[in-house]
Amino acid sequence: MAGACGKLGIVDAGYQETVIAAMRDLLITCIVLIGCLYTLKKPYIGILLWSWLSYMNPHRLSYGFAYSMPFAQITAITLFVSMLFSKEKNKIPINSITVIWMFFVLFMGITTIFAYFPDAAMEYYVRIIKIQLVTFLTMILITDMSKLKQLLWVIVFSIGFFSVKGGFFTIMTAGGYRVWGPAESFIADNNALAVAVLMTIPLMVYLYQIATNKWIKYGLVGSSVLSLFTIIGSNSRGAFLAIVAIGLTYWLKSKNKLGTGIFIAVLAFSLLSFAPESWYNRMNTIENHEEDASAVGRINAWWYAFNAANDNLLGVGLNSWSPETFALYAPEPSDVHAAHSIYFSVLADHGWIGLGMFLTIFLLTWLKLKSIIKKTEKNPDAKEIYLLAKMLQISLMAYFVGGAFLSLSYFDLPWHLVSFVVLIERFYTEQSSVNSVKQAPSQFPTTPRSK
C-alpha cells in the first residue's frame, strides 16, 4: 500500500511539472501573439517585442513546443507587414554615424562572400543582418522619448531578470558557483553575461533618476545591487576590469565627487568582502597571465587575428576560428580559441578596413555623446536627454573595456546603444526647433492705431 502511494506521489509530481511546463509555453506564446496584434496597430510595439525575445530569450525558459518556436521571425514578419500599411512615414536619421554604420554592414557582406568558409560565414552573417535590421528599424520607429523609455524598460527587465536571479543565487550559495546567461544566446557564457549586466546597470540608474514612484525606485536600487553580485558570481576577469573602468568613469562624471567616491568605496568594500577565495584566485590570474592557460590561449588567438588581417585585405570572414585557419596564422596552431575580444574578432573577420569602420562608429558615437551632454547640461527642458546621455557613456565604457576580452562584436545591445545616441540627438534637435519657434517674436508685429 505504501509503495503504491509512493508511486502515486511520483506520478502526481510528474504530472504537475508537465502542467506547469505546458502553462509556461502557453503563456509565452500568448504574450507573443498579443504583442503581434498590437504591432499591427502600432509598429513600434514590434521593436519592444523583438527586443524582449532577443535579450531575455523567454522561449529558452520553456520545456515544450515554445522552446524551438521561431517567435523572433514571426515578430519580424508582423513588424514588416505593419510598416507596409502604416501611415507613419519615418526615415533613418542620416549622419556620419549611420552612414559609416551602413557601409560596415555592407562590407561585412563582401567579406562573407570571400570568407575562408563561405557557407559558415553566410549563416552567421544572416544572423547579424537580422540584428542590424531591427536596430535600424529602431531608429525609424522610436520617434520620441516616451517610446525610447519603454524600450529601455524592456531591455532592463530582460537582462535584469538574469542579473537579479543571478544575484540571489550568488548570495544564497556564497559565491560557490558561477552564474550563466540564457541558453543559446550571445550572453550564455558567464563572462558575456557579466559584461551585458554591467552595460545594463547604467540604464537602471537612468530609470531610477527619472522615476517618480518610490517603489519603482526601490526596485531599481535592489536590482542594481543584485546585479553587482551577479558580476561577482560570474568570476569574470573582463567584467572586473570593466567595473573598475565604469566606477572611475561614474566618479569623474559626478558633480559630488566626495560623496560619490565614498559611495563607490563602501560598495566596493562590501562586494569584495563577500567574494569567495575562488574569485580572488581567478582575478589574480590577470597579473600572472603567463601561468593561465586561458589567458595564453587568448593571446595566441589575438596574434592569429593580427596575422590573418595582415595577409588578407578582407580578413578571413565570419566563423573562421578553426584548426585550418589557426594552422596558417597562429603562433601555436594547435591552441584554437575564439577571439575573446570585440576588436580582434572584427580584425580577423573583416581585416583592417572592417576594424577601422567598427572603431570609427563607436568613436563618433562617443564624441556625439560628449556633444549632447555639453548642449543639454544647463538646459532644464532636456534633463532626461542629459541624464540618459551620461549613462549611455558609462554603458559604452563597460562595453569597450569588458568587450576587449569577449567575442561580443555583433551582440545586439552595443548596437542598440549606438542607435539610442542617434535618437536622442534627433529628439534634442527637434525639441530645440520647437522651443525656438515658440520663443521667436512675431514676424508681423502690430502697432497701435493713432486716434
Side-chain angles (χ1 to χ4, degrees):
M1 185 69 177
C5 291
K7 290 181 180 179
L8 183 60
I10 294 173
V11 172
D12 288 341
Y15 176 74
Q16 289 177 359
E17 289 181 4
T18 303
V19 171
I20 292 173
M23 290 178 64
R24 186 179 297 182
D25 284 39
L26 289 173
L27 176 62
I28 295 169
T29 304
C30 287
I31 292 174
V32 173
L33 290 178
I34 293 171
C36 286
L37 290 175
Y38 274 97
T39 298
L40 292 173
K41 184 178 180 181
K42 298 179 179 180
Y44 87 94
I45 298 294
I47 299 295
L48 307 184
L49 181 60
W50 191 91
S51 298
W52 175 61
L53 291 168
S54 178
Y55 291 115
M56 187 175 175
N57 287 265
H59 48 301
R60 301 304 186 197
L61 301 175
S62 63
Y63 305 101
F65 68 89
Y67 187 90
S68 57
M69 283 289 288
F71 287 128
Q73 183 177 347
I74 294 170
T75 300
I77 293 172
T78 306
L79 177 56
F80 282 116
V81 171
S82 177
M83 290 183 66
L84 188 64
F85 294 98
S86 175
K87 295 180 181 179
E88 298 181 11
K89 301 299 179 183
N90 300 307
K91 298 180 180 179
I92 298 175
I94 301 298
N95 56 33
S96 56
I97 296 174
T98 55
V99 169
I100 297 175
W101 189 353
M102 285 186 278
F103 273 114
F104 179 57
V105 174
L106 293 174
F107 185 76
M108 286 192 286
I110 296 172
T111 63
T112 296
I113 295 172
F114 296 97
Y116 196 89
F117 302 108
D119 293 338
M122 181 58 69
E123 182 181 347
Y124 201 86
Y125 183 59
V126 169
R127 184 182 183 186
I128 292 173
I129 281 292
K130 291 176 182 178
I131 293 170
Q132 294 290 340
L133 184 58
V134 174
T135 308
F136 276 100
L137 289 179
T138 298
M139 292 185 283
I140 296 174
L141 298 174
I142 302 299
T143 55
D144 54 52
M145 280 298 292
S146 175
K147 293 175 182 176
L148 179 55
K149 284 185 283 188
Q150 291 178 50
L151 180 54
L152 289 172
W153 272 112
V154 170
I155 293 173
V156 166
F157 172 80
S158 300
I159 298 178
F161 173 83
F162 297 99
S163 66
V164 170
K165 186 177 72 168
F168 275 120
F169 177 77
T170 300
I171 293 171
M172 296 299 293
T173 60
Y177 300 91
R178 290 189 186 181
V179 178
W180 304 88
E184 300 182 38
S185 70
F186 273 111
I187 56 175
D189 178 71
N190 61 310
N191 300 289
L193 174 67
V195 172
V197 169
L198 268 177
M199 294 170 67
T200 306
I201 290 175
L203 303 182
M204 293 180 181
V205 174
Y206 167 72
L207 293 174
Y208 168 85
Q209 290 172 331
I210 65 171
T212 55
N213 186 291
K214 67 176 183 179
W215 294 109
I216 291 178
K217 284 181 172 288
Y218 293 155
L220 288 167
V221 170
S223 298
S224 300
V225 173
L226 287 169
S227 296
L228 292 173
F229 279 101
T230 291
I231 294 165
I232 294 294
S234 71
N235 276 10
S236 172
R237 293 168 293 187
F240 172 70
L241 295 175
I243 201 170
V244 172
I246 67 171
L248 180 60
T249 303
Y250 186 75
W251 178 76
L252 290 172
K253 292 187 172 298
S254 172
K255 293 181 179 179
N256 181 11
K257 288 186 169 50
L258 178 60
T260 302
I262 294 173
F263 171 76
I264 292 175
V266 171
L267 186 59
F269 177 78
S270 302
L271 290 170
L272 293 175
S273 299
F274 177 83
E277 185 179 354
S278 59
W279 184 86
Y280 284 99
N281 293 336
R282 179 75 171 166
M283 297 308 113
N284 285 335
T285 60
I286 296 175
E287 184 178 355
N288 305 316
H289 61 274
E290 302 90 350
E291 302 173 6
D292 182 68
S294 176
V296 172
R298 292 186 185 195
I299 294 173
N300 185 59
W302 295 350
W303 274 112
Y304 155 79
F306 181 80
N307 294 333
N310 286 340
D311 197 48
N312 298 272
L313 180 64
L314 302 179
V316 287
L318 298 161
N319 264 343
S320 65
W321 303 75
S322 66
E324 292 90 338
T325 51
F326 267 64
L328 293 173
Y329 300 114
E332 293 292 337
S334 61
D335 191 8
V336 180
H337 275 70
H340 289 298
S341 170
I342 57 175
Y343 309 110
F344 287 101
S345 173
V346 174
L347 179 61
D349 292 347
H350 314 295
W352 290 104
I353 298 174
L355 178 62
M357 286 191 281
F358 178 83
L359 294 176
T360 301
I361 291 167
F362 285 100
L363 174 61
L364 291 175
T365 300
W366 185 266
L367 295 176
K368 186 74 70 178
L369 276 174
K370 289 185 66 176
S371 174
I372 293 171
I373 291 171
K374 185 177 180 180
K375 291 176 182 177
T376 58
E377 186 174 10
K378 297 180 180 180
N379 185 349
D381 294 330
K383 183 178 179 181
E384 288 190 355
I385 292 176
Y386 168 71
L387 293 173
L388 180 56
K390 289 179 66 177
M391 291 302 108
L392 287 175
Q393 268 196 331
I394 297 173
S395 288
L396 285 172
M397 179 60 70
Y399 180 63
F400 297 155
V401 178
F405 307 96
L406 291 170
S407 304
L408 286 175
S409 309
Y410 315 108
F411 176 42
D412 318 34
L413 186 54
W415 296 103
H416 246 148
L417 296 182
V418 174
S419 74
F420 296 164
V421 176
V422 173
L423 286 173
I424 61 175
E425 185 197 33
R426 185 177 72 184
F427 298 159
Y428 176 71
T429 302
E430 292 172 350
Q431 185 185 73
S432 300
S433 300
V434 171
N435 290 340
S436 62
V437 170
K438 289 181 179 179
Q439 296 172 3
S442 175
Q443 188 176 358
F444 304 103
T446 57
T447 55
R449 293 182 180 180
S450 57
K451 294 183 180 179

